[in-house]
Amino acid sequence: MGEHDPFDRLAAAAAERAAAGLTRRLRPRSPDTVPGAVDLAGNDYLGFARHPAVTGAAAAAARRWGAGATGSRLVTGDTLLHRELEEELADFYGAEAALVFSSGYTANLGLVTAVAGGSAALVCDRGNHASLIDAARLAKAAGAQILLFDHGDTGAARAALAGCAREHRTLLSDTVFSVDGDLTDVAGLARACAADGAALLLDDAHGLGVVGEGGTGALSAAGLRGAPGVAAAVTLSKALGAQGGAVLGPRTLVRHLVETARTFVFDTGPSAPAAWSAPAALRLLRADPARPRRLRGTARRLSAELRAAGLAATVPDAAVVSVLAGSREEAVAWAERCRAAGVAVGCFRPPSVPDGRARLRLTARADLTGAQVDRALEAVVASRPRGAPSTGPVAGFR
């Protein structure tokens, strides 16, 4: 055998990423909250991940059912806890039925590929989350046709549907987009699909628990609870502070997914602690339906004060606020300075951002105090790079 190592090319690729400012590093966090630290990087929108009712439910489920699911849900991974979670999710969201997956990512992969098959056309927003993009790629490999429309452009989506010759057509879009936090025209997309006879599949990961009356999600906010021809995937790991994902829609769709969605059939089911902590979070949300409104108010305050300080910040439709940086390198350095000041923020760089413009990503939380918001604003503004773009109010960067 020769001495050539086939993995050497990976080291060369890593060097190229480093030269382009695209190195990524894991940052293990402590279980103990650092006094005074402010987290604007995670997605624990409602502050439920460490709530005693949620963690207590997870602990109780682990003691009774065990730490792991032990198999796929079709084998040994299904429990009464999963069934109750699905019933509560469907009732809260206004859907006929729900099906829980191991993550929001696998929920999107399973939903799209099982619905599309090889004969459908998928009409996709260019700004969709990576899970929808990967699902569309898998469907394309099986024979599906893929058509793209400009981000948030309902007219372009309607034109793409009208110009497609495939009999079965499905439109894919995020509701709240994860980079800039903008909410797409859900009602407009639904009207376009209804007029065309197409299905509408939405990723409401950043909408559940955040938008709509009492956090009931983007479909509810658009007046589409239980609407025919529409289904949504959600995650349980953001606003609900748990783990896993789910598809919400008609019973016929859920039955189809149970029998054909590969990421359901062949994947280990969510653990009992995850399956029981999510309903605990839902009950907390039902008991305090004003919590999402307070969350959105915090996001609006962050945006308004950052813009007042001269920074180019998005005007949020949900909980996410993005702030433009001058370059990838400046964005990384800016995020590091914020972290050193005790404020964790996200840092999004190409190719993770579809418009190629690096930015900080701030996620508001409902449990932030006024003093914590003050500290976060002070850290972001004081540590900004000299070349940071400045602008007035904007609805988004695209």
Side-chain angles (χ1 to χ4, degrees):
M1 294 179 60
E3 296 188 10
H4 171 69
D5 186 338
F7 293 131
D8 283 347
R9 62 184 179 84
L10 304 184
E16 291 177 3
R17 290 194 299 271
L22 296 177
T23 298
R24 290 176 168 83
R25 295 183 177 87
L26 293 172
R27 294 179 178 275
R29 59 184 175 91
S30 167
D32 302 314
T33 302
V34 177
V38 182
D39 178 17
L40 297 181
N43 294 317
D44 185 19
Y45 292 136
L46 298 177
F48 287 161
R50 299 176 73 98
H51 192 286
V54 177
T55 58
R63 286 191 294 268
R64 183 172 185 185
W65 294 89
T70 75
S72 74
R73 290 191 59 193
L74 289 171
V75 182
T76 59
D78 197 32
T79 70
L80 297 174
L81 305 184
H82 294 81
R83 301 298 178 87
E84 187 164 339
L85 168 58
E86 287 167 347
E87 290 173 1
E88 292 203 31
L89 275 172
D91 179 69
F92 182 79
Y93 204 77
E96 279 189 355
L99 185 67
V100 171
F101 289 70
S102 62
S103 72
Y105 209 109
T106 57
N108 269 335
L109 289 183
L111 171 63
V112 174
T113 54
V115 168
S119 61
L122 297 176
V123 177
C124 309
D125 189 300
R126 290 183 182 275
N128 279 346
H129 185 264
S131 56
L132 287 180
I133 293 172
D134 288 351
R137 288 171 174 169
L138 287 171
K140 182 179 180 180
Q145 180 185 10
I146 308 299
L147 299 93
L148 303 177
F149 64 91
D150 289 341
H151 173 63
D153 189 336
T154 305
R158 187 181 299 109
L161 286 169
C164 178
R166 296 278 180 108
E167 179 182 359
H168 302 293
R169 296 171 298 283
T170 299
L171 193 149
L172 304 182
S173 178
D174 289 28
T175 57
V176 176
F177 286 80
S178 62
V179 174
D180 292 335
D182 53 318
L183 176 63
T184 199
D185 179 9
V186 174
L189 293 180
R191 286 192 297 271
C193 288
D196 185 78
L200 176 60
L201 303 184
L202 297 168
D203 180 354
D204 204 18
H206 295 270
L208 176 68
V210 179
V211 300
E213 187 66 30
T216 46
L219 287 178
S220 178
L224 293 168
R225 283 175 67 88
V230 181
V234 299
T235 180
L236 312 179
S237 61
K238 294 181 170 59
L240 299 185
Q243 190 75 36
V247 171
L248 298 129
R251 290 187 182 88
T252 52
L253 171 65
V254 167
R255 178 179 178 179
H256 181 71
L257 296 179
V258 168
E259 297 176 354
T260 66
R262 292 175 65 83
T263 56
F264 180 85
V265 174
F266 298 106
D267 190 25
T268 298
S271 67
W276 198 230
S277 55
L282 274 176
R283 292 168 199 143
L284 288 172
L285 180 53
R286 287 183 186 272
D288 186 9
R291 201 175 184 99
R293 186 165 59 248
R294 296 197 299 273
L295 163 66
R296 298 193 301 270
T298 297
R300 287 193 297 270
R301 181 191 166 195
L302 286 168
S303 171
E305 297 200 22
L306 290 170
R307 288 186 283 109
L311 291 169
T314 53
V315 177
D317 291 320
V320 173
V321 178
S322 280
V323 189
L324 276 182
S327 67
R328 286 178 286 201
E329 294 75 16
E330 286 181 354
V332 172
W334 195 357
E336 289 293 342
R337 289 192 294 270
C338 288
R339 187 178 295 274
V343 177
V345 298
C347 178
F348 279 46
R349 300 162 286 164
S352 298
V353 285
D355 61 4
R357 304 172 75 181
R359 69 261 268 157
L360 300 188
R361 177 180 179 270
L362 283 56
T363 53
R365 293 205 327 272
D367 59 339
L368 289 175
T369 66
Q372 288 174 316
V373 176
D374 289 340
R375 181 174 179 185
L377 287 164
E378 179 182 359
V380 174
V381 173
S383 63
R384 64 181 168 185
R386 291 184 178 181
S390 59
T391 187
V394 290
F397 299 137
R398 300 187 184 93

